[in-house]
């Protein structure tokens, strides 16, 4: 089977044109009622614990809509003794008075506000409510409540965290806690490196694509020069193994990608993610092998040009045979150890290699196809990040990318970097589609510039790269302004990149040629002009 078509199929199966994400710590929920004394945003809260004066686990809870705001600086947070409520639900007054302790209570049997009022009246300085499931729950007020002058903070803990604290208290251990909700840094190095990775990936892929196209053109012209009489019998062809997409496949891409996304959303489970990991490894091995062979063939030219027949694979170069075991082992090791802290490095290497390979093999033939593809992806991204909430009651794209319904840390079709200087940790991520789809247009721009012999400033590639970088930068600005809420990157990237290309083409009078032909007009050197 043609390698280009195999890779294009991989794009349709694996590609998730997605979003950038930094992890939410602030939730502005307009559906939950806001009343006087009950208008806080839902913020994640760190609960640092000490067992018998020895620092122990740190849990994460969520602050309530009511009560005072929780301090953001660790140095301003008091270390306070934790006491188990009696009765456990704290719906009635505790059997003994509290001296500023934090009260640990169970969820249920009465309102959250009732529990907080009872705990405050008993002398508690804060209340920790254990949820009846592992997930966190937003604690709100009823619309008809009026007496909401609650002066102690309330935090909900997941079931496992609460059970751990309750067990320590029941065994007679002295437990202390510290509650605070640190702010995220304005800019994290993870976002800077993701930006550089995206730019670098498109840059490498574009130059490889343009170089391959130029080599194919030189070979084609040499063939014409050696055999001009056969000109009429030849087909118009590009480089071997290259697939030029058309407007129909561009539209079909969005339809198939949407179906695939819904399938992921509905069937998201441990085993389904395992299947995605296998598919990602297959694509990653193909991409890494292609990149390494292309790179090493400059030094091992003879091995790259010598072939041997392999069953089921046909003619394979000796260099490919030498590189393949390393690529397979690399992918398998990543798959086995993908849950360790440094596994993101392997995922990014495989992902970048796959993206570069696809950008070298799959090509946009003209600006018309690029416009249709990016416009469809633009609408796709907005719909599945924002509009899908009204149909599915949550953002389908974000749920799938984060792997919310699995034990995995998101699906593998993402580039990710840990947020090293963020007190909340986590990863900043970007979907493959946010690099690959604009990259198809940018690679086209460089091929056009080289074919037209344009200088860097007079061409389209430089300005397309600047536009893409600016659009991605605006995405990260929006991400930080939204407190880490996932953003559809193509919402910002497509207008910048496509708009710049269209405006430059119109200004230079080349828009029609870019739109229809996708290559500069050339005079065949073998045809003599009429005298």
């Amino acid at each position: 089977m043609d390698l280009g078509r195999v890779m294009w199929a991989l794009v349709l199966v694996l590609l998730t044109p997605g979003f950038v994400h930094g992890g939410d710590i602030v939730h502005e929920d307009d559906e939950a009622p806001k009343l006087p004394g009950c208008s806080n945003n839902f913020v994640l809260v760190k609960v640092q614990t000490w067992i018998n004066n020895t620092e122990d686990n740190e849990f994460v809870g969520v602050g309530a809509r009511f009560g005072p705001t929780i301090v953001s600086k660790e140095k301003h947070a008091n270390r306070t003794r934790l006491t188990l409520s009696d009765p456990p639900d704290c719906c009635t007054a505790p059997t003994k008075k509290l001296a500023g302790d934090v009260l640990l209570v169970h969820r249920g049997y009465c309102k959250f506000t009732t529990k907080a009022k009872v705990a405050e009246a008993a002398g508690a300085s804060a209340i920790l409510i254990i949820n009846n499931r592992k997930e966190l729950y937003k604690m709100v007020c009823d619309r008809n409540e009026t007496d909401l002058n609650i002066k102690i903070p309330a935090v909900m803990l997941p079931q496992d965290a609460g059970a751990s604290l309750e067990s320590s208290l029941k065994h007679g251990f002295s437990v202390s806690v510290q509650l605070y909700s640190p702010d995220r840094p304005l800019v994290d190095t993870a976002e800077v490196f993701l930006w550089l990775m995206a730019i670098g990936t498109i840059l490498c892929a574009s130059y490889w694509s343009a170089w391959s196209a130029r080599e194919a053109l030189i070979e084609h012209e040499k063939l014409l020069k050696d055999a001009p009489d056969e000109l009429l019998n030849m087909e118009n062809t590009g480089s071997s193994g290259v697939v030029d997409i058309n407007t129909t496949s561009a539209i079909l891409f969005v339809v198939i990608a949407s179906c695939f996304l819904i399938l992921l959303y509905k069937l998201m489970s441990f085993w389904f993610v395992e299947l995605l990991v296998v598919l990602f490894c297959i694509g990653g091995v193909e991409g890494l092998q292609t990149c390494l062979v292309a790179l090493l063939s400059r030094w091992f030219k003879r091995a790259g040009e010598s072939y041997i027949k392999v069953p089921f694979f046909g003619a394979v170069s000796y260099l490919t045979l030498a590189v393949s075991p390393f690529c397979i082992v690399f992918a398998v090791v990543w798959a086995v150890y993908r849950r360790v802290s440094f596994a993101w490095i392997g995922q990014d290497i495989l992902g970048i290699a796959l993206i570069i390979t696809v950008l070298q093999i799959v090509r946009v033939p003209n600006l018309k196809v690029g416009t249709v593809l990016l416009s469809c992806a633009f609408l796709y991204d907005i719909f599945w990040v924002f509009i899908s909430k009204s149909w599915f009651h949550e953002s389908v794209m974000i749920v799938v990318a984060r792997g919310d319904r699995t034990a995995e840390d998101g699906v593998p079709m993402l580039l990710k970097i840990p947020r090293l200087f963020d007190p909340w940790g986590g990863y900043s991520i970007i979907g493959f589609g946010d690099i690959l789809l604009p990259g198809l247009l940018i690679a086209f721009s460089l091929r056009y510039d080289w074919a037209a012999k344009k200088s860097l400033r007079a061409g389209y590639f430089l300005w397309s790269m600047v536009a893409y970088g600016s659009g991605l930068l605006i995405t990260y600005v929006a991400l930080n302004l939204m407190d880490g809420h996932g953003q559809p990157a193509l919402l910002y990237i497509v207008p910048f990149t496509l708009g710049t290309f269209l405006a430059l083409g119109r200004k230079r009078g080349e828009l029609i040629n870019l739109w229809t032909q996708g290559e500069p007009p050339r005079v065949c050197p073998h045809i003599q002009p009429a005298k």
Side-chain angles (χ1 to χ4, degrees):
M1 185 183 292
D2 182 78
L3 179 61
R5 297 187 186 280
V6 172
M7 292 304 297
W8 180 233
L10 279 172
V11 175
L12 292 177
V13 172
L14 288 178
L15 183 61
T16 307
F19 67 109
V20 294
H21 177 68
D24 305 347
I25 64 168
V26 177
H27 299 264
E28 296 180 3
D29 190 342
D30 293 329
E31 294 181 4
K34 282 188 176 182
L35 305 168
C38 188
S39 57
N40 296 338
N41 289 326
F42 298 104
V43 297
L44 295 183
V45 180
K46 285 181 178 287
V47 182
Q48 179 62 58
T49 65
W50 286 264
I51 308 294
N52 291 335
N53 292 320
T54 301
E55 188 170 337
D56 201 67
N57 294 325
E58 180 182 83
F59 302 113
V60 176
V62 62
R65 181 72 103 185
F66 51 85
T69 55
I70 296 168
V71 297
S72 60
K73 301 288 185 182
E74 184 179 3
K75 63 183 180 182
H76 296 154
N78 296 322
R79 178 174 159 182
T80 311
R81 189 177 70 173
L82 183 68
T83 299
L84 189 61
S85 177
D86 182 18
D89 55 30
C90 197
C91 291
T92 56
T95 56
K96 61 180 180 179
K97 283 288 183 180
L98 306 172
D101 295 354
V102 175
L103 196 61
L104 184 66
V105 309
H106 284 214
R107 178 183 174 183
Y109 302 107
C110 62
K111 299 175 184 176
F112 295 121
T113 51
T114 301
K115 295 177 188 289
K117 290 175 185 176
V118 170
E120 183 182 355
S125 60
I127 181 172
L128 295 181
I129 301 176
I130 305 172
N131 197 15
N132 52 15
R133 59 185 65 184
K134 290 184 178 181
E135 295 79 14
L136 293 172
Y137 184 84
K138 294 177 180 178
M139 296 186 288
V140 300
C141 313
D142 288 345
R143 295 185 183 277
N144 57 357
E145 289 191 79
T146 54
D147 183 17
L148 295 171
N149 187 25
I150 298 170
K151 293 184 170 60
I152 63 170
V155 176
M156 175 165 283
L157 289 176
Q159 187 179 44
D160 50 355
S164 174
L165 292 175
E166 186 176 17
S167 175
S168 297
L169 290 168
K170 285 183 175 179
H171 282 86
F173 298 139
S174 172
V175 181
S176 300
V177 295
Q178 185 182 42
L179 312 178
Y180 63 105
S181 179
D183 297 323
R184 285 195 183 278
L186 186 61
V187 178
D188 191 85
T189 53
E191 292 158 4
V192 176
F193 282 110
L194 268 184
W195 187 87
L196 291 173
M197 282 169 57
I199 295 292
T201 299
I202 292 179
L203 197 66
C204 292
S206 297
Y207 272 96
W208 187 11
S209 176
W211 179 82
S212 300
R214 185 167 64 178
E215 290 292 305
L217 182 61
I218 292 172
E219 195 69 28
H220 185 66
E221 289 181 347
K222 185 187 293 185
L223 190 62
L224 290 179
K225 184 178 180 181
D226 294 340
D229 294 337
E230 300 175 11
L231 175 63
L232 296 176
N233 297 326
M234 295 185 58
E235 295 181 1
N236 185 20
T237 122
S239 58
S240 175
V242 170
V243 175
D244 283 341
I245 60 175
N246 54 35
T247 52
T248 303
S249 58
I251 295 171
L252 277 176
F253 163 77
V254 176
V255 176
I256 295 173
S258 295
C259 294
F260 177 59
L261 190 65
I262 294 174
L263 190 67
L264 279 174
Y265 177 74
K266 293 295 185 182
L267 302 181
M268 183 63 69
S269 65
F270 172 79
W271 294 111
F272 200 76
V273 173
E274 291 296 311
L275 175 62
L276 292 180
V277 168
V278 171
L279 293 174
F280 174 71
C281 286
I282 294 172
V285 167
E286 181 68 41
L288 188 59
Q289 173 188 285
T290 303
C291 292
L292 287 177
V293 168
L295 185 65
L296 294 174
S297 60
R298 300 175 64 88
W299 291 279
F300 303 96
K301 192 171 183 180
R302 187 173 178 180
E305 294 177 349
S306 302
Y307 291 85
I308 184 173
K309 269 199 169 183
V310 178
F312 305 108
F313 294 97
V316 179
S317 71
Y318 285 100
L319 186 57
T320 301
L321 284 178
V323 166
S324 294
F326 167 78
C327 298
I328 294 170
V329 169
F330 186 92
V332 170
V333 169
W334 170 80
V336 172
Y337 294 100
R338 68 184 183 276
R339 294 180 182 87
V340 302
S341 59
F342 53 84
W344 61 273
I345 300 173
Q347 180 172 327
D348 288 352
I349 290 173
L350 291 171
I352 288 172
L354 177 59
I355 292 171
I356 289 176
T357 301
V358 172
L359 286 176
Q360 196 274 331
I361 293 173
V362 180
R363 296 183 181 177
V364 167
N366 53 49
L367 188 55
K368 177 184 176 181
V369 174
T371 301
V372 171
L373 179 64
L374 286 182
S375 298
C376 290
F378 173 81
L379 297 173
Y380 168 92
D381 226 13
I382 293 173
F383 180 85
W384 290 112
V385 173
F386 290 141
I387 303 177
S388 62
K389 290 180 182 179
S390 61
W391 288 10
F392 298 91
H393 307 294
E394 57 187 350
S395 174
V396 172
M397 182 81 77
I398 293 176
V399 168
V400 169
R402 291 191 310 209
D404 286 359
R405 299 174 184 174
T406 70
E408 300 286 334
D409 189 18
V411 294
M413 297 92 75
L414 303 162
L415 298 186
K416 56 194 287 189
I417 294 182
R419 299 176 64 87
L420 299 176
F421 300 101
D422 190 329
W424 290 100
Y427 293 88
S428 287
I429 61 178
I430 183 171
F432 282 2
D434 301 327
I435 302 172
L436 204 154
L437 294 175
L440 288 170
L441 185 67
I442 295 171
F444 162 73
S445 71
L446 185 60
R447 292 196 302 271
Y448 184 90
D449 287 354
W450 281 18
K453 296 180 172 57
K454 289 179 176 288
S455 66
L456 197 60
R457 291 187 62 182
Y460 294 92
F461 174 70
L462 173 63
W463 307 114
S464 296
M465 283 297 301
V466 170
Y468 174 80
S470 301
L472 189 55
L473 184 63
I474 295 298
T475 305
Y476 284 118
V477 171
L479 182 72
N480 283 288
L481 291 176
M482 298 292 182
D483 294 300
H485 291 240
Q487 292 294 302
L490 295 180
L491 171 64
Y492 308 95
I493 291 172
V494 169
F496 271 82
T497 308
L498 189 58
T500 298
F501 210 136
L502 291 170
L504 276 177
R506 181 174 181 179
K507 182 180 179 181
R508 295 170 178 174
E510 299 174 332
L511 184 58
I512 294 177
N513 186 60
L514 285 165
W515 187 264
T516 56
Q517 301 299 318
E519 58 183 22
R522 293 200 312 266
V523 177
C524 181
H526 308 290
I527 299 177
Q528 298 296 326
K531 295 185 179 179

